[in-house]
């Protein structure tokens, strides 16, 4: 039997390829297990074993540091820990589930958020049915080592209802008797709340053309005004450096520039998530390399 695949360290997107052949000529003392090792330039060797179950799946068990990490988690009496999936770009909490040792091991090796289903008593990878996988970029353990964060990028809606995240019910809305549509009340960080507000003002222009006026609507309807404001706010931000103004002034000018720039992005149908995704991809290359690649393109 030949097993092939890849393993990536969390700090690097580069996979480490591996393969192993289990031949009758070289039998392993344990007929259900085959040893192998991972070697790749720039990586320390990592030993592992492949266990064949009665089904067709092959589980890879890594040793050394990998096992140390799994051992460090404070699994509860049922061998579980809370596992939270978070969007790496928006910061939104996508969902919460539970993971056991095997689920965490599979998440790290496959880079797909995997949980343990308490109702089915089995592992399940988010997206295995809907294809809306959560592609894991990093995994974090809290200070007490009893909860886990899968930091990743979702392929589509996370919630089974079709919502972006499973968190769309605001307790304060309930207390205040609000009947806001759930899609408008997703738990959002400050940046994305602003983006949602700008989008709402754009919708109001189309649905309520004679509705309450706002500065955002005025900017959306007047591209020349918007462009002039982006230039103006950029200049004022630069001036805080040239004039050695205080931090509060700089933060204020940056806020103005960010707001007006986000209105421009809305008109271009570009989301902040797309912008942050591009920014994240540039983390792995120098500014000089990035600029040279743009010239070539």
């Amino acid at each position: 039997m030949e097993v092939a695949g890849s393993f990536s360290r969390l700090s690097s997107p580069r996979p480490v390829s591996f393969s192993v052949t289990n031949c009758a000529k070289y039998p392993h003392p344990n007929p259900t297990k085959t040893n192998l090792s991972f070697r790749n330039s720039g990586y320390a060797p990592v030993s592992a074993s492949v266990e064949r179950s009665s089904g067709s799946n092959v589980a890879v068990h890594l040793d050394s540091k990998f096992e140390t990490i799994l051992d460090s988690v404070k699994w509860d009496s049922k061998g579980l820990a809370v596992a939270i999936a978070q969007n790496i770009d928006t910061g939104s909490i996508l969902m919460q589930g539970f993971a056991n040792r095997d689920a965490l091991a599979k998440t790290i090796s496959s880079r797909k958020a995997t949980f343990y289903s308490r109702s089915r008593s089995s592992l399940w990878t988010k997206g295995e049915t809907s294809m809306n996988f959560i592609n894991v970029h990093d995994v974090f353990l809290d200070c007490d080592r009893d909860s886990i964060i899968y930091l990743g990028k979702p392929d589509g809606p996370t919630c089974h209802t079709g919502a972006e995240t499973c968190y769309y019910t605001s307790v304060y809305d309930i207390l205040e008797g609000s009947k806001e549509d759930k899609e408008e009340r997703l738990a959002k960080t400050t940046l994305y709340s602003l983006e949602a507000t700008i989008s709402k003002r754009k919708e109001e222009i189309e649905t309520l053309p004679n509705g309450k006026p706002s500065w955002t609507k005025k900017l959306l309807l007047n591209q020349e005004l918007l462009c002039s404001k982006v230039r103006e706010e950029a200049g004022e931000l630069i001036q805080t450096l040239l004039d050695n103004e205080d931090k509060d002034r700089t933060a204020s000018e940056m806020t103005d520039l960010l707001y007006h720039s986000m209105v421009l992005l809305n008109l271009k149908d570009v989301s902040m998530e797309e912008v942050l995704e591009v920014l994240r991809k540039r983390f792995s290359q120098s500014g000089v390399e990035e600029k040279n690649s743009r010239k070539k393109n």
Side-chain angles (χ1 to χ4, degrees), residues 1-2 26 61 69 73 83 116 147 165 173 190 193 201 211 215 220 246 262 274 280 287:
M1 179 195 75
E2 183 171 296
Y26 303 103
H61 298 279
I69 291 172
V73 178
Y116 179 81
S147 67
T165 86
D173 279 355
T190 301
S193 294
R201 297 293 177 265
W215 179 244
L220 289 167
D246 60 32
M262 288 179 67
E274 291 174 289
R280 173 167 45 81

Side-chain angles (χ1 to χ4, degrees), residues 108-178:
I108 295 173
S109 60
S110 70
R111 288 183 174 265
K112 302 291 183 185
T114 301
F115 302 85
Y116 179 81
S117 172
R118 294 175 297 173
S119 60
R120 299 194 301 269
S121 299
S122 63
L123 299 188
W124 67 280
T125 298
K126 170 62 185 172
E128 60 189 13
T129 301
S130 66
M131 303 308 291
N132 292 329
F133 296 99
I134 298 175
N135 304 293
V136 176
H137 288 256
D138 210 337
V139 176
F140 283 83
L141 304 176
D142 80 332
C143 57
D144 293 322
R145 296 295 177 105
D146 59 5
S147 67
I148 306 161
I149 288 181
Y150 295 156
L151 191 62
K153 185 77 171 179
D155 283 332
T158 297
C159 186
H160 71 281
T161 63
E164 180 183 334
T165 86
C166 293
Y167 296 90
Y168 51 75
T169 304
S170 166
V171 171
Y172 289 107
D173 279 355
I174 296 174
L175 293 175
E176 296 169 6
S178 173

Side-chain angles (χ1 to χ4, degrees), residues 13-279:
R14 292 189 298 139
V16 180
S17 298
F18 68 87
S19 64
V20 60
T21 302
N22 182 27
C23 304
K25 184 178 179 181
Y26 303 103
H28 189 278
N30 183 341
T32 66
K33 183 177 290 187
T34 300
N35 288 335
L36 64 154
S37 64
F38 299 86
R39 291 184 182 274
N40 187 278
S41 178
Y43 293 86
V46 181
S47 60
S49 63
V50 175
E51 278 191 10
R52 290 172 299 290
S53 61
S54 57
S56 60
N57 293 331
V58 178
V60 178
H61 298 279
L62 302 177
D63 298 327
S64 186
K65 291 183 179 179
F66 192 93
E67 289 293 335
T68 301
I69 291 172
L70 297 178
D71 289 339
S72 73
V73 178
K74 293 181 181 177
W75 309 107
D76 66 14
S77 59
K78 296 180 179 179
L80 303 175
V82 171
I84 299 166
Q86 182 178 16
N87 189 312
I88 190 172
D89 289 322
T90 69
S92 295
I93 301 301
L94 301 173
M95 62 170 288
Q96 180 257 309
F98 291 88
N100 63 4
R101 186 185 183 93
D102 290 340
L104 178 56
K106 185 174 180 181
T107 296
I108 295 173
S109 60
S110 70
R111 288 183 174 265
K112 302 291 183 185
T114 301
F115 302 85
Y116 179 81
S117 172
R118 294 175 297 173
S119 60
R120 299 194 301 269
S121 299
S122 63
L123 299 188
W124 67 280
T125 298
K126 170 62 185 172
E128 60 189 13
T129 301
S130 66
M131 303 308 291
N132 292 329
F133 296 99
I134 298 175
N135 304 293
V136 176
H137 288 256
D138 210 337
V139 176
F140 283 83
L141 304 176
D142 80 332
C143 57
D144 293 322
R145 296 295 177 105
D146 59 5
S147 67
I148 306 161
I149 288 181
Y150 295 156
L151 191 62
K153 185 77 171 179
D155 283 332
T158 297
C159 186
H160 71 281
T161 63
E164 180 183 334
T165 86
C166 293
Y167 296 90
Y168 51 75
T169 304
S170 166
V171 171
Y172 289 107
D173 279 355
I174 296 174
L175 293 175
E176 296 169 6
S178 173
K179 296 182 179 180
E180 287 273 6
D181 181 77
K182 68 180 182 182
E183 291 297 332
E184 297 180 3
R185 291 297 297 149
L186 295 176
K188 294 180 180 290
T189 55
T190 301
L191 198 61
Y192 292 93
S193 294
L194 173 58
E195 183 176 56
T197 299
I198 294 171
S199 295
K200 189 173 182 180
R201 297 293 177 265
K202 188 177 183 180
E203 291 172 3
E204 290 173 354
I205 293 175
E206 300 170 355
T207 59
L208 301 169
N210 299 317
K212 183 179 178 181
S214 72
W215 179 244
T216 301
K217 291 180 183 178
K218 190 172 182 179
L219 292 171
L220 289 167
L221 291 168
N222 190 331
Q223 292 189 17
E224 289 188 6
L225 173 63
L226 174 58
C227 291
S228 68
K229 289 299 297 182
V230 172
R231 293 190 193 96
E232 176 187 331
E233 301 303 344
E236 291 181 358
L237 176 62
I238 291 170
Q239 207 60 43
T240 64
L241 176 62
L242 298 177
D243 293 345
N244 195 28
E245 297 186 62
D246 60 32
K247 291 172 59 177
D248 290 344
R249 178 67 176 173
T250 303
S252 177
E253 295 301 341
M254 183 61 205
T255 300
D256 291 341
L257 176 59
L258 185 59
Y259 159 70
H260 287 91
S261 297
M262 288 179 67
V263 176
L264 188 152
L265 288 176
N266 182 278
L267 284 175
K268 292 293 294 179
D269 195 29
V270 176
S271 69
M272 279 303 298
E273 186 170 355
E274 291 174 289
V275 173
L276 293 179
E277 184 175 4
V278 173
L279 181 62

